[in-house]
């Protein structure tokens, strides 16, 4: 079976840059320090407006946003970036635990979320997963499955002559399923490859994104490609 290998960092690779936006000073400083000890370059700001400015200036490889911030909140930052075509991975930090609140963050364009208080090891795992996903598709190959074409270098996907307008997470999910077309991928494996963390059996995170992807991939009248294998996972069918 073909699965994406996990990237291995080397000393020659430049340190990834991160914009961290958190209005609580103690949380911001401790999180910044922890990330810097992991050898990330961190630009820490106190609100959403400062985050937008820092992102425009520094073009980071990852953005970490607190959900509730003054001036411009995390959801608004997500929406502004995605509306502008910025696909930089976004991790939301939130003290809210309701599923609806998490879904709102995903709908706004966030790639992942982490509930406060969080363990640093879990934060690091989420960061590594999002950065690893950004590196997929660097070989310039196309994946072609019938009328579905995926440009891995350009990070674009097409169904017949129709371009699929996908978020970063939706593209990564489609890419993983297409790379393993015909093979049922289990929930645990998909969580590991896409999010770098298994949210557990009660999580709706994967199902939400499968729903988003299916709506864009399969318009009325088009052949169904993405299938659910109940209790196991998902498979993208070969033509």
């Amino acid at each position: 079976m073909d699965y994406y290998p996990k990237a291995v960092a080397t000393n020659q690779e430049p340190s990834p840059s991160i914009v961290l936006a958190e209005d609580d000073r103690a949380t911001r400083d401790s999180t910044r320090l922890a990330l810097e000890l992991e050898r990330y370059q961190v630009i820490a700001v106190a609100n959403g407006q400062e985050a937008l400015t820092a992102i425009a200036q520094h073009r980071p490889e990852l953005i970490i946003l607190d959900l509730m911030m003054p001036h411009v909140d995390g959801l608004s930052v997500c929406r502004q970036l995605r509306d502008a075509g910025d696909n930089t991975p976004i991790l939301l930090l939130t003290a809210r635990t309701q599923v609806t609140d998490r879904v709102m963050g995903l709908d706004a364009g966030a790639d992942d979320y982490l509930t406060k208080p969080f363990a640093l090891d879990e934060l690091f795992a989420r960061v590594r997963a999002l950065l690893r996903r950004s590196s997929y598709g660097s070989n310039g190959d196309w994946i072609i499955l019938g009328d579905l074409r995926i440009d891995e270098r350009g990070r674009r996907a097409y169904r017949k002559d129709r371009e699929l307008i996908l978020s970063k997470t939706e593209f990564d999910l489609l890419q993983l399923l297409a790379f393993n077309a015909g093979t049922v991928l289990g929930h645990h494996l998909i969580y590991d490859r896409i999010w770098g963390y298994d949210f557990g059996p009660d999580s709706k995170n994967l199902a939400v994104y499968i729903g988003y992807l299916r709506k864009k991939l399969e318009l009325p009248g088009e052949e169904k490609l993405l299938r659910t294998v109940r209790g196991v996972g998902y498979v993208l069918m070969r033509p």
Side-chain angles (χ1 to χ4, degrees):
M1 296 183 182
D2 293 321
Y3 301 131
Y4 288 135
K6 295 186 177 182
V8 178
T10 68
N11 292 334
Q12 284 71 41
E13 294 177 349
S15 300
S17 60
I18 299 173
V19 165
L20 167 66
E22 166 63 67
D23 63 316
D24 180 77
R25 183 172 182 175
T27 302
R28 182 173 68 251
D29 289 348
S30 61
T31 304
R32 175 187 56 78
L33 178 59
L35 289 168
E36 288 178 342
L37 290 173
E38 291 293 303
R39 301 186 183 281
Y40 296 110
Q41 301 177 52
V42 183
I43 302 98
V45 297
N47 59 62
Q49 186 56 58
E50 291 180 2
L52 289 169
T53 300
I55 291 163
Q57 290 178 345
H58 299 282
R59 308 304 303 169
E61 292 161 87
L62 177 67
I63 301 165
I64 302 177
L65 301 171
D66 182 37
L67 183 65
M68 300 299 295
M69 293 186 292
H71 306 301
V72 181
D73 63 23
L75 289 180
S76 297
V77 173
C78 283
R79 293 190 183 103
Q80 289 188 43
L81 292 173
R82 297 313 189 221
D83 288 346
D86 189 326
N87 289 320
T88 306
I90 297 175
L91 173 63
L92 276 184
L93 304 179
T94 175
R96 297 179 176 181
T97 58
Q98 296 296 318
V99 171
T100 53
D101 293 320
R102 299 173 186 174
V103 171
M104 284 177 60
L106 297 175
D107 283 342
D111 296 281
D112 199 358
Y113 59 83
L114 187 57
T115 304
K116 299 178 181 178
F118 52 82
L120 286 176
D121 284 346
E122 184 176 359
L123 172 65
F124 298 153
R126 303 292 182 91
V127 167
R128 289 193 299 269
L130 289 172
L131 291 172
R132 183 170 67 241
R133 287 159 53 191
S134 297
S135 69
Y136 288 167
S138 60
N139 58 6
D141 289 341
W142 285 73
I143 299 176
I144 300 176
L145 297 167
D147 61 8
L148 175 63
R149 296 174 294 126
I150 301 172
D151 175 6
E152 294 193 282
R153 181 179 294 277
R155 295 187 61 78
R156 291 184 174 183
Y158 304 85
R159 185 86 193 265
K160 298 180 181 177
D161 295 327
R162 174 174 60 88
E163 182 173 0
L164 310 181
I165 307 303
L166 305 175
S167 70
K168 178 171 180 54
T169 300
E170 291 164 357
F171 181 88
D172 290 334
L173 184 54
L174 176 61
Q175 185 184 35
L176 177 63
L177 290 165
F179 192 84
N180 298 280
T183 300
V184 178
L185 301 185
H187 299 92
H188 298 302
L189 184 141
I190 296 175
Y191 273 127
D192 177 68
R193 291 297 184 266
I194 301 300
W195 283 276
Y197 181 82
D198 190 343
F199 292 82
D202 297 327
S203 174
K204 304 297 182 183
N205 207 27
L206 177 55
V208 166
Y209 269 101
I210 287 289
Y212 292 158
L213 180 58
R214 184 172 273 134
K215 288 180 181 179
K216 297 179 180 181
L217 181 64
E218 303 170 347
L219 295 184
E222 292 183 335
E223 180 184 1
K224 305 300 182 184
L225 299 179
L226 182 52
R227 296 186 184 178
T228 301
V229 180
R230 295 192 180 279
V232 181
Y234 302 94
V235 57
L236 194 71
M237 302 303 297
R238 290 185 178 275

PDB file of all heavy atoms in Angstrom, residues 141-168:
ATOM      1  N   ASP A 141       4.524  16.197  -9.994  1.00  0.00           N
ATOM      2  CA  ASP A 141       3.755  15.183 -10.706  1.00  0.00           C
ATOM      3  C   ASP A 141       2.274  15.532 -10.738  1.00  0.00           C
ATOM      4  O   ASP A 141       1.778  16.318  -9.937  1.00  0.00           O
ATOM      5  CB  ASP A 141       3.919  13.816 -10.042  1.00  0.00           C
ATOM      6  CG  ASP A 141       5.319  13.249 -10.252  1.00  0.00           C
ATOM      7  OD1 ASP A 141       6.014  13.716 -11.172  1.00  0.00           O
ATOM      8  OD2 ASP A 141       5.688  12.361  -9.477  1.00  0.00           O
ATOM      9  N   TRP A 142       1.583  14.891 -11.691  1.00  0.00           N
ATOM     10  CA  TRP A 142       0.132  14.935 -11.743  1.00  0.00           C
ATOM     11  C   TRP A 142      -0.396  13.565 -11.337  1.00  0.00           C
ATOM     12  O   TRP A 142       0.197  12.541 -11.649  1.00  0.00           O
ATOM     13  CB  TRP A 142      -0.344  15.248 -13.158  1.00  0.00           C
ATOM     14  CG  TRP A 142      -0.176  16.682 -13.578  1.00  0.00           C
ATOM     15  CD1 TRP A 142       0.977  17.310 -13.883  1.00  0.00           C
ATOM     16  CD2 TRP A 142      -1.217  17.639 -13.755  1.00  0.00           C
ATOM     17  NE1 TRP A 142       0.744  18.610 -14.234  1.00  0.00           N
ATOM     18  CE2 TRP A 142      -0.606  18.835 -14.164  1.00  0.00           C
ATOM     19  CE3 TRP A 142      -2.603  17.603 -13.609  1.00  0.00           C
ATOM     20  CZ2 TRP A 142      -1.328  19.988 -14.432  1.00  0.00           C
ATOM     21  CZ3 TRP A 142      -3.335  18.753 -13.872  1.00  0.00           C
ATOM     22  CH2 TRP A 142      -2.711  19.929 -14.278  1.00  0.00           C
ATOM     23  N   ILE A 143      -1.531  13.557 -10.663  1.00  0.00           N
ATOM     24  CA  ILE A 143      -2.278  12.327 -10.424  1.00  0.00           C
ATOM     25  C   ILE A 143      -3.501  12.406 -11.330  1.00  0.00           C
ATOM     26  O   ILE A 143      -4.272  13.367 -11.255  1.00  0.00           O
ATOM     27  CB  ILE A 143      -2.705  12.190  -8.955  1.00  0.00           C
ATOM     28  CG1 ILE A 143      -1.482  12.149  -8.031  1.00  0.00           C
ATOM     29  CG2 ILE A 143      -3.566  10.935  -8.762  1.00  0.00           C
ATOM     30  CD1 ILE A 143      -1.836  12.120  -6.555  1.00  0.00           C
ATOM     31  N   ILE A 144      -3.688  11.406 -12.187  1.00  0.00           N
ATOM     32  CA  ILE A 144      -4.804  11.402 -13.135  1.00  0.00           C
ATOM     33  C   ILE A 144      -5.612  10.132 -12.929  1.00  0.00           C
ATOM     34  O   ILE A 144      -5.104   9.016 -13.037  1.00  0.00           O
ATOM     35  CB  ILE A 144      -4.302  11.486 -14.587  1.00  0.00           C
ATOM     36  CG1 ILE A 144      -3.504  12.783 -14.792  1.00  0.00           C
ATOM     37  CG2 ILE A 144      -5.467  11.415 -15.565  1.00  0.00           C
ATOM     38  CD1 ILE A 144      -2.888  12.925 -16.169  1.00  0.00           C
ATOM     39  N   LEU A 145      -6.890  10.303 -12.602  1.00  0.00           N
ATOM     40  CA  LEU A 145      -7.809   9.191 -12.384  1.00  0.00           C
ATOM     41  C   LEU A 145      -9.068   9.476 -13.197  1.00  0.00           C
ATOM     42  O   LEU A 145      -9.955  10.204 -12.753  1.00  0.00           O
ATOM     43  CB  LEU A 145      -8.152   9.048 -10.899  1.00  0.00           C
ATOM     44  CG  LEU A 145      -6.991   8.723  -9.951  1.00  0.00           C
ATOM     45  CD1 LEU A 145      -7.408   8.919  -8.511  1.00  0.00           C
ATOM     46  CD2 LEU A 145      -6.510   7.299 -10.178  1.00  0.00           C
ATOM     47  N   GLY A 146      -9.130   8.947 -14.402  1.00  0.00           N
ATOM     48  CA  GLY A 146     -10.269   9.231 -15.262  1.00  0.00           C
ATOM     49  C   GLY A 146     -10.345  10.714 -15.569  1.00  0.00           C
ATOM     50  O   GLY A 146      -9.387  11.300 -16.078  1.00  0.00           O
ATOM     51  N   ASP A 147     -11.488  11.332 -15.242  1.00  0.00           N
ATOM     52  CA  ASP A 147     -11.652  12.766 -15.508  1.00  0.00           C
ATOM     53  C   ASP A 147     -11.194  13.641 -14.344  1.00  0.00           C
ATOM     54  O   ASP A 147     -11.381  14.854 -14.349  1.00  0.00           O
ATOM     55  CB  ASP A 147     -13.098  13.090 -15.877  1.00  0.00           C
ATOM     56  CG  ASP A 147     -14.086  12.758 -14.760  1.00  0.00           C
ATOM     57  OD1 ASP A 147     -13.649  12.425 -13.640  1.00  0.00           O
ATOM     58  OD2 ASP A 147     -15.308  12.823 -15.005  1.00  0.00           O
ATOM     59  N   LEU A 148     -10.575  13.029 -13.331  1.00  0.00           N
ATOM     60  CA  LEU A 148     -10.025  13.777 -12.196  1.00  0.00           C
ATOM     61  C   LEU A 148      -8.527  13.957 -12.395  1.00  0.00           C
ATOM     62  O   LEU A 148      -7.795  12.990 -12.592  1.00  0.00           O
ATOM     63  CB  LEU A 148     -10.285  13.031 -10.885  1.00  0.00           C
ATOM     64  CG  LEU A 148      -9.649  13.633  -9.622  1.00  0.00           C
ATOM     65  CD1 LEU A 148     -10.219  15.019  -9.329  1.00  0.00           C
ATOM     66  CD2 LEU A 148      -9.845  12.707  -8.429  1.00  0.00           C
ATOM     67  N   ARG A 149      -8.074  15.204 -12.378  1.00  0.00           N
ATOM     68  CA  ARG A 149      -6.656  15.518 -12.538  1.00  0.00           C
ATOM     69  C   ARG A 149      -6.200  16.374 -11.365  1.00  0.00           C
ATOM     70  O   ARG A 149      -6.855  17.355 -11.018  1.00  0.00           O
ATOM     71  CB  ARG A 149      -6.406  16.273 -13.849  1.00  0.00           C
ATOM     72  CG  ARG A 149      -6.731  15.475 -15.100  1.00  0.00           C
ATOM     73  CD  ARG A 149      -6.594  16.327 -16.354  1.00  0.00           C
ATOM     74  NE  ARG A 149      -7.583  17.388 -16.388  1.00  0.00           N
ATOM     75  CZ  ARG A 149      -7.310  18.680 -16.549  1.00  0.00           C
ATOM     76  NH1 ARG A 149      -6.061  19.084 -16.673  1.00  0.00           N
ATOM     77  NH2 ARG A 149      -8.289  19.562 -16.592  1.00  0.00           N
ATOM     78  N   ILE A 150      -5.078  15.994 -10.765  1.00  0.00           N
ATOM     79  CA  ILE A 150      -4.552  16.719  -9.607  1.00  0.00           C
ATOM     80  C   ILE A 150      -3.139  17.167  -9.912  1.00  0.00           C
ATOM     81  O   ILE A 150      -2.251  16.348 -10.176  1.00  0.00           O
ATOM     82  CB  ILE A 150      -4.576  15.830  -8.348  1.00  0.00           C
ATOM     83  CG1 ILE A 150      -6.008  15.380  -8.046  1.00  0.00           C
ATOM     84  CG2 ILE A 150      -3.983  16.583  -7.154  1.00  0.00           C
ATOM     85  CD1 ILE A 150      -6.102  14.361  -6.940  1.00  0.00           C
ATOM     86  N   ASP A 151      -2.925  18.461  -9.895  1.00  0.00           N
ATOM     87  CA  ASP A 151      -1.610  19.062 -10.110  1.00  0.00           C
ATOM     88  C   ASP A 151      -0.959  19.228  -8.746  1.00  0.00           C
ATOM     89  O   ASP A 151      -1.292  20.146  -8.001  1.00  0.00           O
ATOM     90  CB  ASP A 151      -1.781  20.411 -10.813  1.00  0.00           C
ATOM     91  CG  ASP A 151      -0.467  21.170 -10.967  1.00  0.00           C
ATOM     92  OD1 ASP A 151       0.596  20.609 -10.630  1.00  0.00           O
ATOM     93  OD2 ASP A 151      -0.516  22.331 -11.419  1.00  0.00           O
ATOM     94  N   GLU A 152      -0.029  18.325  -8.418  1.00  0.00           N
ATOM     95  CA  GLU A 152       0.546  18.339  -7.081  1.00  0.00           C
ATOM     96  C   GLU A 152       1.430  19.558  -6.839  1.00  0.00           C
ATOM     97  O   GLU A 152       1.453  20.106  -5.734  1.00  0.00           O
ATOM     98  CB  GLU A 152       1.341  17.055  -6.844  1.00  0.00           C
ATOM     99  CG  GLU A 152       0.472  15.810  -6.830  1.00  0.00           C
ATOM    100  CD  GLU A 152       1.226  14.613  -6.297  1.00  0.00           C
ATOM    101  OE1 GLU A 152       2.028  14.046  -7.053  1.00  0.00           O
ATOM    102  OE2 GLU A 152       1.022  14.277  -5.110  1.00  0.00           O
ATOM    103  N   ARG A 153       2.174  19.984  -7.854  1.00  0.00           N
ATOM    104  CA  ARG A 153       3.036  21.153  -7.667  1.00  0.00           C
ATOM    105  C   ARG A 153       2.205  22.432  -7.556  1.00  0.00           C
ATOM    106  O   ARG A 153       2.432  23.253  -6.676  1.00  0.00           O
ATOM    107  CB  ARG A 153       4.041  21.293  -8.813  1.00  0.00           C
ATOM    108  CG  ARG A 153       4.977  22.485  -8.651  1.00  0.00           C
ATOM    109  CD  ARG A 153       5.970  22.582  -9.792  1.00  0.00           C
ATOM    110  NE  ARG A 153       6.898  21.459  -9.799  1.00  0.00           N
ATOM    111  CZ  ARG A 153       7.982  21.420  -9.042  1.00  0.00           C
ATOM    112  NH1 ARG A 153       8.264  22.399  -8.208  1.00  0.00           N
ATOM    113  NH2 ARG A 153       8.787  20.365  -9.106  1.00  0.00           N
ATOM    114  N   GLY A 154       1.244  22.586  -8.442  1.00  0.00           N
ATOM    115  CA  GLY A 154       0.412  23.781  -8.426  1.00  0.00           C
ATOM    116  C   GLY A 154      -0.687  23.736  -7.389  1.00  0.00           C
ATOM    117  O   GLY A 154      -1.364  24.739  -7.156  1.00  0.00           O
ATOM    118  N   ARG A 155      -0.897  22.540  -6.776  1.00  0.00           N
ATOM    119  CA  ARG A 155      -1.928  22.351  -5.759  1.00  0.00           C
ATOM    120  C   ARG A 155      -3.296  22.766  -6.305  1.00  0.00           C
ATOM    121  O   ARG A 155      -4.037  23.520  -5.691  1.00  0.00           O
ATOM    122  CB  ARG A 155      -1.587  23.095  -4.470  1.00  0.00           C
ATOM    123  CG  ARG A 155      -0.329  22.557  -3.789  1.00  0.00           C
ATOM    124  CD  ARG A 155      -0.102  23.199  -2.427  1.00  0.00           C
ATOM    125  NE  ARG A 155      -1.187  22.928  -1.516  1.00  0.00           N
ATOM    126  CZ  ARG A 155      -1.365  21.778  -0.852  1.00  0.00           C
ATOM    127  NH1 ARG A 155      -0.501  20.780  -1.012  1.00  0.00           N
ATOM    128  NH2 ARG A 155      -2.370  21.630  -0.027  1.00  0.00           N
ATOM    129  N   ARG A 156      -3.587  22.231  -7.492  1.00  0.00           N
ATOM    130  CA  ARG A 156      -4.887  22.457  -8.109  1.00  0.00           C
ATOM    131  C   ARG A 156      -5.472  21.120  -8.531  1.00  0.00           C
ATOM    132  O   ARG A 156      -4.735  20.171  -8.826  1.00  0.00           O
ATOM    133  CB  ARG A 156      -4.767  23.372  -9.335  1.00  0.00           C
ATOM    134  CG  ARG A 156      -4.396  24.808  -8.988  1.00  0.00           C
ATOM    135  CD  ARG A 156      -4.389  25.681 -10.225  1.00  0.00           C
ATOM    136  NE  ARG A 156      -4.168  27.076  -9.906  1.00  0.00           N
ATOM    137  CZ  ARG A 156      -4.174  28.055 -10.790  1.00  0.00           C
ATOM    138  NH1 ARG A 156      -4.370  27.793 -12.075  1.00  0.00           N
ATOM    139  NH2 ARG A 156      -3.977  29.306 -10.413  1.00  0.00           N
ATOM    140  N   ALA A 157      -6.798  21.064  -8.560  1.00  0.00           N
ATOM    141  CA  ALA A 157      -7.472  19.838  -8.958  1.00  0.00           C
ATOM    142  C   ALA A 157      -8.591  20.177  -9.930  1.00  0.00           C
ATOM    143  O   ALA A 157      -9.224  21.240  -9.823  1.00  0.00           O
ATOM    144  CB  ALA A 157      -8.019  19.105  -7.735  1.00  0.00           C
ATOM    145  N   TYR A 158      -8.825  19.260 -10.886  1.00  0.00           N
ATOM    146  CA  TYR A 158      -9.817  19.488 -11.922  1.00  0.00           C
ATOM    147  C   TYR A 158     -10.667  18.244 -12.109  1.00  0.00           C
ATOM    148  O   TYR A 158     -10.159  17.119 -12.069  1.00  0.00           O
ATOM    149  CB  TYR A 158      -9.140  19.824 -13.259  1.00  0.00           C
ATOM    150  CG  TYR A 158      -8.204  20.997 -13.199  1.00  0.00           C
ATOM    151  CD1 TYR A 158      -6.881  20.828 -12.796  1.00  0.00           C
ATOM    152  CD2 TYR A 158      -8.632  22.285 -13.543  1.00  0.00           C
ATOM    153  CE1 TYR A 158      -6.001  21.900 -12.736  1.00  0.00           C
ATOM    154  CE2 TYR A 158      -7.758  23.369 -13.486  1.00  0.00           C
ATOM    155  CZ  TYR A 158      -6.452  23.169 -13.085  1.00  0.00           C
ATOM    156  OH  TYR A 158      -5.585  24.228 -13.020  1.00  0.00           O
ATOM    157  N   ARG A 159     -11.937  18.446 -12.319  1.00  0.00           N
ATOM    158  CA  ARG A 159     -12.857  17.371 -12.714  1.00  0.00           C
ATOM    159  C   ARG A 159     -13.375  17.722 -14.097  1.00  0.00           C
ATOM    160  O   ARG A 159     -14.103  18.706 -14.265  1.00  0.00           O
ATOM    161  CB  ARG A 159     -14.006  17.259 -11.700  1.00  0.00           C
ATOM    162  CG  ARG A 159     -14.961  16.072 -11.963  1.00  0.00           C
ATOM    163  CD  ARG A 159     -14.428  14.823 -11.304  1.00  0.00           C
ATOM    164  NE  ARG A 159     -15.122  13.638 -11.771  1.00  0.00           N
ATOM    165  CZ  ARG A 159     -16.178  13.080 -11.150  1.00  0.00           C
ATOM    166  NH1 ARG A 159     -16.641  13.630 -10.035  1.00  0.00           N
ATOM    167  NH2 ARG A 159     -16.735  11.997 -11.630  1.00  0.00           N
ATOM    168  N   LYS A 160     -12.969  16.961 -15.112  1.00  0.00           N
ATOM    169  CA  LYS A 160     -13.198  17.321 -16.506  1.00  0.00           C
ATOM    170  C   LYS A 160     -12.544  18.680 -16.739  1.00  0.00           C
ATOM    171  O   LYS A 160     -11.351  18.838 -16.530  1.00  0.00           O
ATOM    172  CB  LYS A 160     -14.693  17.308 -16.825  1.00  0.00           C
ATOM    173  CG  LYS A 160     -15.330  15.918 -16.658  1.00  0.00           C
ATOM    174  CD  LYS A 160     -16.806  15.926 -16.966  1.00  0.00           C
ATOM    175  CE  LYS A 160     -17.419  14.543 -16.766  1.00  0.00           C
ATOM    176  NZ  LYS A 160     -18.872  14.517 -16.988  1.00  0.00           N
ATOM    177  N   ASP A 161     -13.310  19.691 -17.176  1.00  0.00           N
ATOM    178  CA  ASP A 161     -12.742  21.023 -17.406  1.00  0.00           C
ATOM    179  C   ASP A 161     -13.027  21.967 -16.244  1.00  0.00           C
ATOM    180  O   ASP A 161     -12.753  23.157 -16.331  1.00  0.00           O
ATOM    181  CB  ASP A 161     -13.312  21.622 -18.698  1.00  0.00           C
ATOM    182  CG  ASP A 161     -12.891  20.840 -19.932  1.00  0.00           C
ATOM    183  OD1 ASP A 161     -11.762  20.311 -19.925  1.00  0.00           O
ATOM    184  OD2 ASP A 161     -13.690  20.748 -20.875  1.00  0.00           O
ATOM    185  N   ARG A 162     -13.569  21.429 -15.165  1.00  0.00           N
ATOM    186  CA  ARG A 162     -13.969  22.252 -14.022  1.00  0.00           C
ATOM    187  C   ARG A 162     -12.899  22.216 -12.938  1.00  0.00           C
ATOM    188  O   ARG A 162     -12.537  21.154 -12.453  1.00  0.00           O
ATOM    189  CB  ARG A 162     -15.301  21.733 -13.483  1.00  0.00           C
ATOM    190  CG  ARG A 162     -15.777  22.401 -12.196  1.00  0.00           C
ATOM    191  CD  ARG A 162     -17.166  21.921 -11.833  1.00  0.00           C
ATOM    192  NE  ARG A 162     -17.234  20.489 -11.613  1.00  0.00           N
ATOM    193  CZ  ARG A 162     -17.009  19.907 -10.428  1.00  0.00           C
ATOM    194  NH1 ARG A 162     -16.683  20.642  -9.382  1.00  0.00           N
ATOM    195  NH2 ARG A 162     -17.099  18.586 -10.302  1.00  0.00           N
ATOM    196  N   GLU A 163     -12.401  23.406 -12.551  1.00  0.00           N
ATOM    197  CA  GLU A 163     -11.446  23.448 -11.457  1.00  0.00           C
ATOM    198  C   GLU A 163     -12.180  23.344 -10.128  1.00  0.00           C
ATOM    199  O   GLU A 163     -13.206  24.007  -9.914  1.00  0.00           O
ATOM    200  CB  GLU A 163     -10.617  24.726 -11.487  1.00  0.00           C
ATOM    201  CG  GLU A 163      -9.578  24.769 -10.370  1.00  0.00           C
ATOM    202  CD  GLU A 163      -8.624  25.947 -10.454  1.00  0.00           C
ATOM    203  OE1 GLU A 163      -8.763  26.767 -11.395  1.00  0.00           O
ATOM    204  OE2 GLU A 163      -7.745  26.040  -9.573  1.00  0.00           O
ATOM    205  N   LEU A 164     -11.664  22.524  -9.251  1.00  0.00           N
ATOM    206  CA  LEU A 164     -12.230  22.380  -7.912  1.00  0.00           C
ATOM    207  C   LEU A 164     -11.595  23.429  -7.010  1.00  0.00           C
ATOM    208  O   LEU A 164     -10.376  23.469  -6.853  1.00  0.00           O
ATOM    209  CB  LEU A 164     -11.955  20.982  -7.358  1.00  0.00           C
ATOM    210  CG  LEU A 164     -12.318  19.796  -8.268  1.00  0.00           C
ATOM    211  CD1 LEU A 164     -12.004  18.485  -7.556  1.00  0.00           C
ATOM    212  CD2 LEU A 164     -13.770  19.854  -8.691  1.00  0.00           C
ATOM    213  N   ILE A 165     -12.405  24.279  -6.440  1.00  0.00           N
ATOM    214  CA  ILE A 165     -11.899  25.324  -5.550  1.00  0.00           C
ATOM    215  C   ILE A 165     -11.829  24.730  -4.144  1.00  0.00           C
ATOM    216  O   ILE A 165     -12.840  24.644  -3.438  1.00  0.00           O
ATOM    217  CB  ILE A 165     -12.792  26.573  -5.581  1.00  0.00           C
ATOM    218  CG1 ILE A 165     -12.981  27.047  -7.028  1.00  0.00           C
ATOM    219  CG2 ILE A 165     -12.177  27.681  -4.730  1.00  0.00           C
ATOM    220  CD1 ILE A 165     -11.685  27.339  -7.752  1.00  0.00           C
ATOM    221  N   LEU A 166     -10.636  24.311  -3.752  1.00  0.00           N
ATOM    222  CA  LEU A 166     -10.451  23.563  -2.512  1.00  0.00           C
ATOM    223  C   LEU A 166      -9.649  24.360  -1.498  1.00  0.00           C
ATOM    224  O   LEU A 166      -8.719  25.085  -1.855  1.00  0.00           O
ATOM    225  CB  LEU A 166      -9.720  22.247  -2.797  1.00  0.00           C
ATOM    226  CG  LEU A 166     -10.346  21.315  -3.844  1.00  0.00           C
ATOM    227  CD1 LEU A 166      -9.433  20.126  -4.092  1.00  0.00           C
ATOM    228  CD2 LEU A 166     -11.725  20.852  -3.392  1.00  0.00           C
ATOM    229  N   SER A 167     -10.018  24.189  -0.233  1.00  0.00           N
ATOM    230  CA  SER A 167      -9.178  24.713   0.838  1.00  0.00           C
ATOM    231  C   SER A 167      -7.930  23.848   0.945  1.00  0.00           C
ATOM    232  O   SER A 167      -7.837  22.781   0.317  1.00  0.00           O
ATOM    233  CB  SER A 167      -9.935  24.683   2.166  1.00  0.00           C
ATOM    234  OG  SER A 167     -10.100  23.335   2.613  1.00  0.00           O
ATOM    235  N   LYS A 168      -6.983  24.284   1.735  1.00  0.00           N
ATOM    236  CA  LYS A 168      -5.741  23.513   1.880  1.00  0.00           C
ATOM    237  C   LYS A 168      -6.022  22.117   2.423  1.00  0.00           C
ATOM    238  O   LYS A 168      -5.488  21.128   1.926  1.00  0.00           O
ATOM    239  CB  LYS A 168      -4.772  24.250   2.803  1.00  0.00           C
ATOM    240  CG  LYS A 168      -3.487  23.469   3.011  1.00  0.00           C
ATOM    241  CD  LYS A 168      -2.447  24.269   3.736  1.00  0.00           C
ATOM    242  CE  LYS A 168      -1.182  23.451   3.920  1.00  0.00           C
ATOM    243  NZ  LYS A 168      -0.670  22.897   2.649  1.00  0.00           N
TER     244      LYS A 168
END
